[in-house]
Amino acid sequence: MSRVYPFDDAATARAVIGDDGTLTEWNEGARRLLGHPADAVLGRPAAGLLAGGGTPAPPPGSRWQGTVRLRHRDGRILPVWLLAHHRPPQDGHPGDWLVVTPLTGAEPPAVQDPLAEAGLVQSPCAIAVYDERLRLRRMNEAMAAVVGLPEERLRGLRLAEIDGRAQSDELEQGLLRVLTSGLPLDVRTFLRTDGDGRAHTWLARMAPVRDDAGRVRGVCMAAHDVTDSQRARQRLQLVNEASVRIGSTLDVTRTAQELADVCVPALADFVTIDLLDPQEYGGEPPARVVAPVRLRRAAHRSVLDGVPEAVIGPGQTEEYPDFSPQADAMTAGSTIATSMATGDMDQWLTWHGVRGERVREFGIHSSMSVPIQARGLTLGVAVLTRHRRPDSFTADDVLLAEEITARAAVCIDNARRYSRERETALALQRSLLPRSLPRTAALEASSRYLPAARAGVGGDWFDVIPLSGMRVAMVVGDVVGHGIQASATMGRLRTAVRTLADIDLAPDELLTHLDDLVLRLSDESGGEGSPGEVGATCLYAVYDPVSRRCTMARAGHPAPVLVRPGRRPRLLDLPAGPPLGLGGLPFESAEVELPEGTVLALYTDGLVLSRERDGDASRELLYRALAQHEDSLDTTCDRVLHALLPSGGAADDVALLVARTQGLPASRVATWEVPADPSLVAPIRKQVVEQLDAWSLSEASFTTELVVSELVTNAIRYGAHPIRLRLIHDAATLICEVSDTSHTAPHLRRAKIFDEGGRGLLLVAQLTQRWGSRHTPEGKTIWAELPVYEEDEPGGGQDRCGEAG
């Protein structure tokens, strides 16, 4: 790349010799020195200019200097000092040698020369002074030590000719800017000096040199070695980067990978992160690590694609003996730095042959094992190795690795403890939620529960509860908050709902009792926080397959979505009700008819609340997903979650319950009005037996007659008219219900030997699977469930009923 300078370029004799020995450039200064014009020498061997003849071998290294006897055009032999820089191939151009020698500057500076006065020869700072043609006029001993050549050899050369590397071109442009503008300039560069083989970071401070009249007569450049401060700045930057990049999630594996990513390539060429498996120590890392140590690979990273240096992959385990660097670092609790040159790893690599082969294959020469420690416990070890970088780990590298690892250890420990608490909470949540939904004749149902992606498990729950009379209750609730406390509160509320459902409370009454419970729980939590911190929402629905009507009420919970056969999904218009825990506010029930095949979707607000879209857009997605309810309900649940939740997981926990209603045919229900006369109970029993014969349940006639007789007789004797008897027949159950208008509930008691009564309900309890009573708006209903059997079953139902009695 050519540059325009405000001076005569012929003050330096310069030539370029290709790696094949051919002259490719020849400037005017070279012609002035040896007399040969360019067209006479270009393209010819440079050895032809040597006085001794022959073809000398290329000098070793990237720079050479010395005195050479050259032949002038007129035949004279001239001893000339030459400085040669080798330039490697670049951008498609072959390698060559830049050869220069100054033609001016050999004369000593004038006494009153301001350039000479600026030399500062005794200064410990490396200083060089360049004239108006940007040719070296003076430099002190410190600069000569940096360059590796004395001043008298370089005087008269340009900076780019003294060094010959790309960085010197950048510095020379800075000199030109100072020369033309008269303003000082700082330039930072990174290069290897010839006085020292190591790479250094230099700060070149350039300032104009003026004469007494204020005219710019040259440029003074002071070079400061800022390698240490640059490295300190890089280390600080790496530590800051580690604090930002490590611990972005509460995932142990992700955090370990972030530690490895930060260290490569800034600190090492290959890094492995191996952690103890707490499950082997009862859930917590041991207080003291003892070799041999079994570690699980959590993450690794390399400057090479595919991490070919690794012996094991993430997730795999390996045992490390007491002579391995990993075990030594963990048992000692301090960093172990090893080197192939000193033989520190010979025993370990000999014992582990595959690892030794990898070390030799990739030229790994240095290793550093840093224990990962937090809260006084050792969690694992980070191993940093170098093979591409030639320098070994220094004491500063050890301190830097320990600081970064210490920061990562806190994040790994937090992630580990969070994962353990999350797993505990999930286990608690799974134990509190139903493992499977009961099969009922009233409906088929499917459910899903997903904990929050970041916040962890919460208090969302769902349930399907079989009730008397073939009815079934559906419930979905949400406790405010997340974590084990919310899960425990959810478990208490779910248990309370099942208990209240078992006594057949109406939905609005059940929510009222549940509201009182939440208030009590809030009062109990007053020791840990202010009263009222426990809150929840709930939706409770009861579906009757005989009447095909559903009664429901909600307490601050999202309304369900209803999909009738052949109709579009819609949000059910249901009174909202206050959230649980406010106290004193009423709840309102609503009743809706649900034709057979109706789909009802109950869910918590985590399903529809999203930062990416509003509630209306979420509900529209829910409608679309439910519109294809002809599929199985499991498929419908999956489709709903896929449509509404992001791939990374929900922001809040989600509970979803989807049910499809089933109706009970009228042919499976028989109803009789019971007269008030006890003598007419016998005709009722006869009609019951006839109905059982019609249902092919004659083997259950004996037991059913006894149960009907006792319940009807009790209703006539202790109840209020009108009295109604109803039989409901399912595939596996026969239900007997007797209703009257009295609100007095029956009591099971044990009669004494000579008592004339008190044995009826005890007999019913022994002959049936379940029995109970429920209050109705008109009074009460006493019910009993009897098992039914196939008529060809060996032994017959009569014998089993007899055994039960």
Side-chain angles (χ1 to χ4, degrees), residues 253 257 273-274 296-301 307 310 312-317:
T253 302
Q257 188 62 57
I273 311 297
D274 298 315
R296 185 180 301 276
R297 176 64 49 85
H300 54 211
R301 178 69 184 272
V307 197
I312 61 175
Q316 296 179 316
T317 60

Side-chain angles (χ1 to χ4, degrees), residues 39-111:
D39 56 0
V41 295
L42 289 179
R44 298 184 180 183
L49 299 175
L50 298 176
T55 305
S62 61
R63 192 176 83 161
W64 178 88
Q65 59 90 22
T67 301
V68 178
R69 291 166 55 84
L70 301 178
R71 188 182 303 278
H72 194 274
R73 184 181 182 186
D74 60 10
R76 290 178 295 147
I77 304 299
L78 301 178
V80 180
W81 180 85
L82 299 178
L83 176 62
H85 309 282
H86 184 260
R87 301 185 298 193
Q90 188 175 9
D91 299 331
H93 299 287
D96 54 32
W97 287 84
L98 171 65
V99 184
V100 297
T101 189
L103 298 183
T104 60
E107 65 280 359
V111 178

Side-chain angles (χ1 to χ4, degrees), residues 508-530:
D508 54 340
E509 292 184 65
L510 184 142
L511 292 181
T512 300
H513 286 280
L514 203 61
D515 184 48
D516 293 338
L517 174 60
V518 173
L519 283 174
R520 289 196 298 273
L521 293 178
S522 297
D523 292 339
E524 291 175 6
S525 66
E528 303 175 1
S530 59

Side-chain angles (χ1 to χ4, degrees), residues 583-775:
L585 298 176
F587 299 95
E588 186 177 351
S589 293
E591 191 174 68
V592 59
E593 185 174 352
L594 302 182
E596 186 172 1
T598 298
V599 171
L600 199 61
L602 290 70
Y603 53 90
T604 55
D605 56 8
L607 182 67
V608 293
L609 293 183
S610 173
R611 296 179 180 177
E612 288 76 22
R613 56 181 179 269
D614 58 22
D616 292 338
S618 295
R619 280 188 288 272
E620 186 60 34
L621 291 176
L622 178 58
Y623 297 159
R624 294 178 185 175
L626 291 173
Q628 307 174 42
H629 61 275
E630 293 81 5
D631 299 331
S632 69
L633 293 185
D634 278 338
T635 303
T636 301
C637 286
D638 293 337
R639 185 168 55 248
V640 168
L641 297 183
H642 179 74
L644 278 87
L645 300 183
S647 57
D652 193 7
D653 44 341
V654 174
L656 173 65
L657 177 63
V658 178
R660 181 183 288 120
T661 63
Q662 300 173 159
L664 198 64
S667 59
R668 289 185 173 268
V669 181
T671 305
W672 295 270
E673 297 296 331
V674 178
D677 187 356
S679 63
L680 298 179
V681 173
I684 296 294
R685 290 203 305 266
K686 181 178 179 182
Q687 295 176 40
V688 168
V689 171
E690 292 174 353
Q691 183 62 57
L692 293 180
D693 290 339
W695 284 341
S696 300
L697 299 177
S698 57
E699 295 215 12
S701 298
F702 177 75
T703 306
T704 306
E705 275 192 89
L706 289 177
V707 172
V708 168
S709 179
E710 292 297 335
L711 295 184
V712 170
T713 301
N714 281 347
I716 294 174
R717 181 175 301 175
Y718 303 109
H721 292 278
I723 301 172
R724 185 177 68 254
L725 169 64
R726 184 170 72 165
L727 294 183
I728 305 173
H729 169 41
D730 185 22
T733 307
L734 178 64
I735 299 175
C736 175
E737 294 183 344
V738 177
S739 303
D740 65 77
T741 56
S742 171
H743 292 279
T744 303
H747 296 282
L748 181 66
R749 63 189 180 91
R750 194 172 294 275
K752 297 181 176 59
I753 297 176
F754 299 104
D755 288 349
E756 295 182 2
R759 297 178 178 84
L761 289 180
L762 180 61
L763 181 62
V764 170
Q766 292 177 332
L767 293 177
T768 60
Q769 287 181 325
R770 295 193 310 156
W771 78 278
S773 66
R774 65 175 182 269
H775 289 281

